[in-house]
RNA sequence: GUGGGUAUAGCUCAGCAGGUUAGAGCGCCAGAUUGUGGCUCUGGAGGCCGUGGGUUCGAGUCCCAUUAUCCACCCCA
């Protein structure tokens, strides 16, 4: 127990962590160029925030939250997603008082008490963006464009952007009604899950993978059929923007996002290669959410991707990662008397910005060379009796195997500038 | 929450119809005549065979439970 991590969690150890850093670096760069600023919110919040924000009837709130009471009897929950907290922070810090829209991004761990499986963990990591205070369809397109750019920059292939409109509080009830009208008569023929969905969320029935259900649902009224004029125009404009940006998409009328707060645009990015969890990111517009958490009626749109899934997909697609840490030079102590000289050279090189290291296990010369090779050092510098006497350092190029003796103040010349 | 598979050295896996000191490859450490890595060779360390019960003269090997892990459903990132 003492040496095993809790279920559904992961250690990210050296060798792995460099991949994470690489992904994060690209994400931050893209955000920066699109004008999104980072926001860091607490990892836990008042439980109420998620209940209100994510929706009481969602799976997340009903059965997946890490909730506990703290020593002050407060009801606390580890965040299961990012949007609610960002909206809370936007309101609490009165960011609405500044220039609008406010474009934010976050990156960090989220917690959901789910059963782990490929690409699904109890502590996982999300990168997400939220735009508060912008209502035009152009910003929807920007968020999607930005998401796609992240994937592209990471080197992912075979991605599909699925988009749909979920309508607004005006037209959604209409859809619900006509769906129930359509399905009601043959409800008994649907699978038990769908029968259950009938009252709670008939939209989901369209999404059922059960073959019989999808047959029964053929010809059912779709969301797009029921869109009010305003929503239809909005959706049309979003698509126009995407086309102008040269971004391919497929309209997927079965795309229904599970979280309660979505309105209008919903989208999801699918990738192949990680089993059943083919969705590597998704988002949408949530014009009602801010009003639900605070008083303000402020439109919002957001998007999130799962870092674990991105990583799995990249590995599956054999994407190349930049090489992990490797020393510029490894200094070999070839005689006990050289110890202090080695130490000083090491400090000097590090001070100049080189990645430099030495042995600390009292290894033989040969073993030190071997060790330097394992560390993948670019150069090895050897200092022993001869070098001490001559005031020199023997430098060996570990790739070519060539070596030469240089004056100890000329080492950096061999290494190349820094 | 539901269903199924797996659990033997750091890693990937062997292990017979249940029978004495549990193996290999890789990795790790150390050597292969006196100051040099990557190839090769030699040696060494390292395993309550996930955990707890049970069946048996005897269990890594069979049964049950438990935990972890993997896969799928649900849902989601």
């Amino acid at each position: 127990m003492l040496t095993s991590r809790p279920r559904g969690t992961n250690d990210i150890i050296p060798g792995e962590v460099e991949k994470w850093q690489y992904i994060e670096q690209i994400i931050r760069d893209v955000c920066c160029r699109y004008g999104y600023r980072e926001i860091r919110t607490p990892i836990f919040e008042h439980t109420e925030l998620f209940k209100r924000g994510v929706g009481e009837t969602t799976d997340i709130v009903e059965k997946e939250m890490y909730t506990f009471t703290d020593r002050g009897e407060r009801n606390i929950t580890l965040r299961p997603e990012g949007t609610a907290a960002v909206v809370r922070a936007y309101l609490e810090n009165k960011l609405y008082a500044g220039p609008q829209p406010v474009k934010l991004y976050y990156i960090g761990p989220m917690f959901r008490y789910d059963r782990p499986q490929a690409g699904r963990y109890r502590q996982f990591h999300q990168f997400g963006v939220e735009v508060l205070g912008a209502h035009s369809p152009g910003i929807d397109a920007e968020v999607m464009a930005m998401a796609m750019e992240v994937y592209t920059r990471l080197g992912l292939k075979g991605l599909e952007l699925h988009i749909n409109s979920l309508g607004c509080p005006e037209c959604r009830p209409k859809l619900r009604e006509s769906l129930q009208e359509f399905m009601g008569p043959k409800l008994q023929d649907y699978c038990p899950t769908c029968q259950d969905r009938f009252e709670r969320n008939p939209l989901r029935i369209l999404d059922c993978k059960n073959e019989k259900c999808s047959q029964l649902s053929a010809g059912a009224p779709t969301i797009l059929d029921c869109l009010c004029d305003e929503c239809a125009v909005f959706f049309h404009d979003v698509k126009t923007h995407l086309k102008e940006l040269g971004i391919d998409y497929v309209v997927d009328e079965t795309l229904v996002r599970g979280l309660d707060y979505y309105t209008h645009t919903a989208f999801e990015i699918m990738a192949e290669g990680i089993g059943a969890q083919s969705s590597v990111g998704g988002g949408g517009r949530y014009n009602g959410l801010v009003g639900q958490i605070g008083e303000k009626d402020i439109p919002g749109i957001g998007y999130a991707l799962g870092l674990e899934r991105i990583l799995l997909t990249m590995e599956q697609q054999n994407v190349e990662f930049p090489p992990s840490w490797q020393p510029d030079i490894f200094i070999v102590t070839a005689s006990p008397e050289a110890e202090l000289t080695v130490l000083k050279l090491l400090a000097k090189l590090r001070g100049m910005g080189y990645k430099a290291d030495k042995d600390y296990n009292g290894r033989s010369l040969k073993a030190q060379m071997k060790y330097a090779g394992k560390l993948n050092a670019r150069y090895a510098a050897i200092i022993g009796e001869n070098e001490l006497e001559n005031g020199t350092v023997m430098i060996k190029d570990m790739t070519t195997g060539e070596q030469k003796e240089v004056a100890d103040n000329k080492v950096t010349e061999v290494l190349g500038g820094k």
Side-chain angles (χ1 to χ4, degrees):
Chain A
M1 265 314 199
L2 276 179
T3 54
S4 69
R5 53 185 199 271
R7 176 158 210 205
T9 63
N10 284 101
D11 297 313
I12 305 171
I13 58 180
E16 278 299 301
V17 79
E18 288 84 359
K19 298 178 184 172
W20 284 75
Q21 289 166 342
Y22 171 66
I23 294 174
E24 287 164 14
Q25 177 198 325
I26 287 179
I27 284 173
R28 288 180 197 282
D29 183 61
V30 172
C31 285
C32 183
R33 281 187 296 111
Y34 275 76
Y36 289 70
R37 319 250 323 255
E38 183 175 6
I39 183 167
R40 300 190 188 190
T41 65
I43 268 170
F44 56 84
E45 296 273 354
H46 295 296
T47 302
E48 204 47 37
L49 174 66
F50 299 120
K51 285 195 178 166
R52 190 78 68 78
V54 179
E56 294 271 7
T57 62
T58 57
D59 275 18
I60 292 183
V61 171
E62 276 185 349
K63 48 182 206 190
E64 293 173 5
M65 295 208 298
Y66 272 94
T67 298
F68 61 96
T69 310
D70 74 5
R71 289 170 184 272
E73 303 296 307
R74 280 169 283 256
N75 200 247
I76 298 295
T77 292
L78 301 184
R79 62 183 187 193
E81 57 97 57
T83 305
V86 169
V87 169
R88 194 224 81 229
Y90 172 86
L91 292 168
E92 182 163 357
N93 296 284
K94 303 184 173 27
L95 299 185
Y96 49 76
Q100 302 298 301
V102 176
K103 308 209 287 190
L104 302 166
Y105 80 90
Y106 58 85
I107 185 163
M110 304 292 166
F111 305 83
R112 295 209 311 223
Y113 191 91
D114 237 4
R115 216 144 128 179
Q117 116 190 31
R120 201 219 323 259
Y121 309 96
R122 290 186 171 177
Q123 173 173 343
F124 61 103
H125 297 77
Q126 279 190 333
F127 151 67
V129 307
E130 311 291 347
V131 181
L132 282 314
H135 56 261
S136 78
I139 194 72
D140 298 42
E142 176 179 291
V143 169
M144 289 184 250
M146 185 177 162
M148 294 312 281
E149 183 161 339
V150 168
Y151 298 119
T152 314
R153 286 272 307 273
L154 288 172
L156 292 177
K157 299 190 187 79
L159 294 152
E160 268 186 14
L161 171 62
H162 289 218
I163 66 169
N164 193 19
S165 173
L166 302 182
C168 63
E170 295 281 314
C171 44
R172 199 115 59 122
K174 271 193 288 179
L175 168 69
R176 195 189 151 86
E177 233 172 83
S178 40
L179 275 179
Q180 284 172 335
E181 256 171 53
F182 180 87
M183 293 162 177
K186 40 188 178 178
L187 186 59
Q188 309 88 304
D189 299 332
Y190 279 94
C191 71
T193 330
C194 282
Q195 296 187 18
D196 196 49
R197 285 166 173 154
F198 184 74
E199 277 305 324
R200 296 181 52 180
N201 195 347
L203 275 183
R204 283 228 158 272
I205 300 182
L206 299 176
D207 201 20
C208 187
K209 279 140 201 138
N210 187 316
E211 211 171 301
K212 197 171 173 205
C213 293
S214 47
Q215 273 173 10
L216 286 167
S217 299
T222 68
I223 313 183
L224 298 184
D225 291 336
C226 300
L227 247 34
C228 65
D229 290 348
E230 202 182 314
C231 286
V233 170
F234 191 92
F235 190 50
H236 175 79
D237 286 350
V238 170
K239 288 187 288 187
T240 308
H241 276 86
L242 286 175
K243 274 181 214 146
E244 287 303 314
L245 287 168
I247 293 170
D248 292 330
Y249 62 84
V250 292
V251 174
D252 180 356
E253 295 193 59
T254 67
L255 173 57
V256 184
R257 307 236 80 220
L259 281 45
D260 280 1
Y261 50 62
Y262 287 112
T263 58
H264 288 289
T265 312
F267 63 98
E268 196 162 324
I269 292 94
M270 324 291 266
E272 287 195 358
I274 45 175
Q277 261 62 43
S278 59
S279 163
V280 289
R285 181 165 277 281
Y286 46 82
N287 287 351
L289 178 62
V290 182
Q292 213 157 28
I293 292 176
E295 320 279 68
K296 309 259 170 199
D297 183 23
I298 290 169
I301 176 164
Y303 157 79
L305 68 75
L307 295 185
E308 280 84 356
R309 289 189 187 176
I310 292 293
L311 192 58
L312 284 171
T313 310
M314 288 171 78
E315 284 168 348
Q316 237 282 333
Q317 296 190 1
N318 293 315
V319 172
E320 292 235 5
F321 289 88
S324 46
W325 190 85
Q326 103 182 79
D328 296 313
I329 185 163
F330 186 91
I331 310 174
V332 173
T333 315
S335 112
E337 292 77 50
E339 183 66 38
L340 292 179
T341 311
V342 166
L343 210 58
K344 273 189 260 179
L345 178 60
L346 179 67
K348 181 179 154 198
L349 290 172
R350 284 175 173 169
M352 294 175 71
Y354 291 100
K355 291 178 279 182
D357 215 341
K358 74 181 277 291
D359 168 67
Y360 287 103
N361 282 13
R363 279 183 247 249
S364 68
L365 169 71
K366 192 177 187 138
Q368 289 184 61
M369 288 304 293
K370 211 178 221 179
Y371 181 50
K374 295 246 175 63
L375 292 182
N376 204 13
R378 181 74 186 76
Y379 291 95
I382 302 165
I383 303 179
E385 285 177 36
N386 298 340
E387 289 75 15
L388 283 181
E389 227 167 87
N390 304 335
T392 57
V393 175
M394 185 69 80
I395 303 236
K396 178 167 189 173
D397 184 321
M398 296 295 274
T399 345
T400 64
E402 289 165 15
Q403 64 177 33
K404 57 182 166 185
E405 196 170 347
V406 300
D408 58 8
N409 54 358
K410 292 285 191 330
V411 173
T412 54
E413 282 178 24
V414 180
L415 298 189
K418 194 80 200 177

